[in-house]
Amino acid sequence: MLQNKVALITGGTKGIGYGIAKCLMDQGVHVAITSRSSARSHEIAGKLNASSKSGAKAIGLKADVTDFKSQQDAVKDVVSQFGQLDVVIANAGVGHFASIEDITLQQWQDTIDTNLTGAFYTIKASVDALKNSQGYYISISSLAGTNFFANGSAYNASKFGVTGFTQAVMLDLRKYGIKVSTIMPGSVSTHFNGNEPSDKDAWKIQSEDIGELVVDLLKMNPRTLPSKIEVRPTTPPSK
């Protein structure tokens, strides 16, 4: 069903993006992963290709989600190399956490530009290609997109924005046969915010769990659309 489909994943060199890429390739989906570092994107694409057992291929692209032309170029590269674009995952994200008294103007701008405007640029650049394929756009939001917390003003603002933005896009694009969903994970074992994944994170959602969820969405009967999915660890550690 998914064999030879093509996916573009922003921020796909580690964490959730990498987990999604690996799970999609296991299903025969060709993937393009982006990073602001050309060397890093090519390195991780090579790693994905080396472990591919389905015949699916990965390419690495240098792209910055805060730069609209960069996103346009990434989409053009994908369509040029694979001939189509079926799935777009807006995954790239950053987190700056501090009291409103202490968070800097640059930290605020970086969070909004990457997490929220980046999701906008990603779909804006790819909407024509997704119309052609009647494809799927998925944004990675967060439980922080519906639950606020101290020191989270910038991150909460960006993820509340991504959640609402994606739902509005869903209503805009479903008339073209494009499916749109946002996934809102809780604690995930990644390198996000300086974390180093280890055995202490075994209780958390793993990046491949999000990848499996994406595969499930793509395989779902097209008459049904889970447009907003909250996902959290089953059993958090006891305090």
Side-chain angles (χ1 to χ4, degrees):
M1 179 182 177
L2 299 182
Q3 191 77 29
N4 293 320
K5 297 288 189 182
V6 178
L8 170 63
I9 305 168
T10 66
T13 61
K14 62 182 179 180
I16 290 174
Y18 180 81
I20 293 172
K22 198 163 186 326
C23 286
L24 289 178
M25 289 184 73
D26 287 346
Q27 298 293 319
V29 178
H30 304 301
V31 302
I33 56 171
T34 72
S35 169
R36 285 178 290 187
S37 164
S38 179
R40 178 69 173 166
S41 68
H42 285 94
E43 174 194 353
I44 300 304
K47 180 179 176 182
L48 287 166
N49 283 322
S51 63
S52 176
K53 296 179 176 63
S54 66
K57 294 180 173 60
I59 61 171
L61 301 173
K62 180 180 180 181
D64 184 345
V65 296
T66 68
D67 181 335
F68 182 56
K69 185 178 184 304
S70 180
Q71 287 302 96
Q72 288 179 305
D73 290 343
V75 170
K76 288 176 183 175
D77 284 344
V78 174
V79 174
S80 174
Q81 294 197 48
F82 290 115
Q84 66 196 64
L85 179 57
D86 304 287
V87 182
V88 174
I89 313 286
N91 166 74
V94 298
H96 296 294
F97 302 94
S99 162
I100 191 61
E101 298 171 283
D102 300 322
I103 196 161
T104 68
L105 300 183
Q106 184 55 50
Q107 287 173 325
W108 170 272
Q109 203 64 57
D110 185 39
T111 306
I112 299 299
D113 287 351
T114 303
N115 296 358
L116 180 53
T117 304
F120 166 66
Y121 284 169
T122 298
I123 183 59
K124 191 70 173 175
S126 60
V127 67
D128 287 340
L130 290 177
K131 281 183 181 180
N132 289 336
S133 64
Q134 293 195 313
Y136 210 135
Y137 171 73
I138 298 172
S139 68
I140 305 300
S141 184
S142 168
L143 289 183
T146 193
N147 301 288
F148 49 83
F149 54 89
N151 297 325
S153 58
Y155 193 69
N156 280 144
S158 71
K159 291 301 188 179
F160 268 69
V162 169
T163 300
F165 164 77
T166 307
Q167 295 305 288
V169 170
M170 178 267 294
L171 296 177
D172 288 341
L173 297 185
R174 60 182 177 179
K175 62 189 175 187
Y176 300 111
I178 299 173
K179 298 178 77 174
V180 176
S181 299
T182 189
I183 299 174
M184 306 169 66
S187 299
V188 183
S189 176
T190 70
H191 292 86
F192 185 74
N193 200 32
N195 182 62
E196 190 64 37
S198 67
D199 290 344
K200 74 180 189 311
D201 293 325
W203 64 273
K204 295 180 180 178
I205 301 164
Q206 302 300 302
S207 60
E208 59 267 27
D209 300 337
I210 304 299
E212 290 173 4
L213 177 55
V214 169
V215 169
D216 289 343
L217 287 173
L218 298 180
K219 287 185 172 182
M220 186 162 290
N221 191 299
R223 66 173 173 255
T224 301
L225 178 65
S227 58
K228 184 169 66 174
I229 305 102
E230 293 189 2
V231 54
R232 48 180 50 79
T234 302
T235 309
S238 56
K239 296 182 179 179

